[in-house]
Amino acid sequence: MRIGAHVRTSKGLVDAVTYARSVGCETMQIFAKTPLQWHAPERDERDLSAFRSALAEHGMTLAATHGAYLVNLASLDEELWLRSIDALADEIVRAADLGAPAVVTHLGSAPGSREHACLRVAAAATRALQMTDGCAAGVFLENSSGSGRTLGSSSEEIIAVFDAIPASLKTRVAVCVDTCHAHVAGYDLSTPSGWRTLLSPFARAEARVALVHANDALYGCGSRRDRHAWVGEGTIGEAGFALLFEQEQLHNADVVVEMPGAPPTKDALNVARLKELRDG
């Protein structure tokens, strides 16, 4: 299990790799474009090539890119839904250009039937994958904290989306588990039973968990309040993250932290804590 962090690219792609290596990352996650805008200029091929070369030089991998926050694959607004599909397809292409296996996407939110909303997410993801046919990258479906009308707070809702995607496209679809989101949604990840309850449905559905966002939770289990805490300092606690590394289902997953606070300390310290739990 490679451990890393979500890294800013404001100083350039190559600098992001250098920074990631300096704080002990074995892998990393980045935004492929500004997450609060629909559009972004195309990357220069020279920048992309330099980034991929820097990854190889430092023995680093790109675990995933993270998609824009504006995307709502469940929206009942047809214009927003179609725009979200186009944006997701663009993110998939950008992920592939950077050498990432997939883009992490939230499912979105919608009023009314959650079953219908999950089917709408699946239809949107299917269209985006079809639009990028032949592309090496795919989609990682991220669970949510369950606040408001957001989808994906339960493993079953993630599976409802996964199951509705055509079998021919499923090789490009996997799951991203955010530990903070899962914990505040009601899965007590400080306990073995909480981990089993969260992961067992994915195993039964043969939905691969490819990425873990290893974030402790500032608020309690079931609070539905998404505020990240440093590893071991929240309500999941050190014991909960030790259990993460005992889950056979996650042994081929990458692990990245998404921490509040000032770099480089926030990343160096949390990456080191996870490595100690993994290797200890």
Side-chain angles (χ1 to χ4, degrees):
M1 298 173 74
R2 294 171 296 202
I3 295 171
H6 181 92
V7 176
R8 298 175 182 175
T9 60
S10 55
K11 294 182 179 179
L13 290 170
V14 172
D15 182 81
V17 179
T18 303
Y19 170 84
R21 186 62 177 172
S22 75
V23 295
C25 292
E26 300 159 340
T27 190
M28 59 191 289
Q29 176 183 274
I30 62 173
F31 290 119
K33 56 181 282 294
T34 305
L36 297 177
Q37 294 181 6
W38 287 105
H39 301 292
E42 293 300 319
R43 292 279 191 186
D44 188 299
E45 179 54 42
R46 290 170 296 183
D47 291 338
L48 296 172
S49 179
F51 176 71
R52 294 189 295 262
S53 295
L55 287 173
E57 178 184 346
H58 289 285
M60 186 86 59
T61 65
L62 184 57
T65 61
H66 197 295
Y69 298 133
L70 301 175
V71 169
N72 185 356
L73 303 178
S75 178
L76 298 180
D77 181 305
E78 193 70 9
E79 182 178 353
L80 176 57
W81 189 67
L82 293 173
R83 195 174 194 184
S84 296
I85 293 169
D86 288 341
L88 180 59
D90 177 65
E91 293 271 15
I92 292 171
V93 172
R94 289 174 183 271
D97 287 344
L98 289 162
V103 55
V104 175
T105 186
H106 300 154
L107 305 191
S109 61
S113 165
R114 298 184 76 81
E115 180 181 0
H116 178 265
C118 287
L119 292 176
R120 196 154 173 84
V121 174
T126 296
R127 288 199 193 188
L129 291 165
Q130 290 171 335
M131 290 165 63
T132 57
D133 183 43
C135 186
V139 173
F140 293 164
L141 305 171
E142 183 178 353
N143 63 313
S144 77
S145 64
S147 62
R149 298 180 182 274
T150 56
L151 293 175
S153 60
S154 70
S155 303
E156 288 73 19
E157 287 184 346
I158 299 283
I159 291 165
V161 174
F162 180 80
D163 282 346
I165 293 172
S168 60
L169 297 174
K170 277 189 167 65
T171 56
R172 296 173 62 199
V173 182
V175 177
C176 170
V177 167
D178 185 303
T179 55
C180 174
H181 293 176
H183 188 70
V184 301
Y187 297 94
D188 187 353
L189 297 190
S190 68
T191 68
S193 62
W195 278 102
R196 284 195 302 271
T197 304
L198 173 68
L199 296 178
S200 293
F202 297 131
R204 290 194 295 270
E206 298 183 341
R208 178 173 60 98
V209 180
L211 181 62
V212 177
H213 288 167
N215 306 310
D216 213 330
L218 184 62
Y219 295 103
C221 177
S223 65
R224 298 186 180 268
R225 300 180 70 181
D226 178 18
R227 293 293 184 273
H228 296 182
W230 288 15
V231 171
E233 298 183 18
T235 57
I236 297 175
E238 182 178 305
F241 286 97
L243 289 168
L244 184 160
F245 295 104
E246 296 179 10
Q247 308 306 310
E248 185 176 355
Q249 199 172 335
L250 302 180
H251 283 179
N252 292 318
D254 285 327
V255 180
V256 298
V257 296
E258 301 171 316
M259 290 298 159
T265 303
K266 71 182 183 74
D267 296 320
L269 189 148
N270 284 287
V271 167
R273 287 179 179 178
L274 289 176
K275 282 184 174 180
E276 183 177 354
L277 292 171
R278 179 194 64 185
D279 301 336

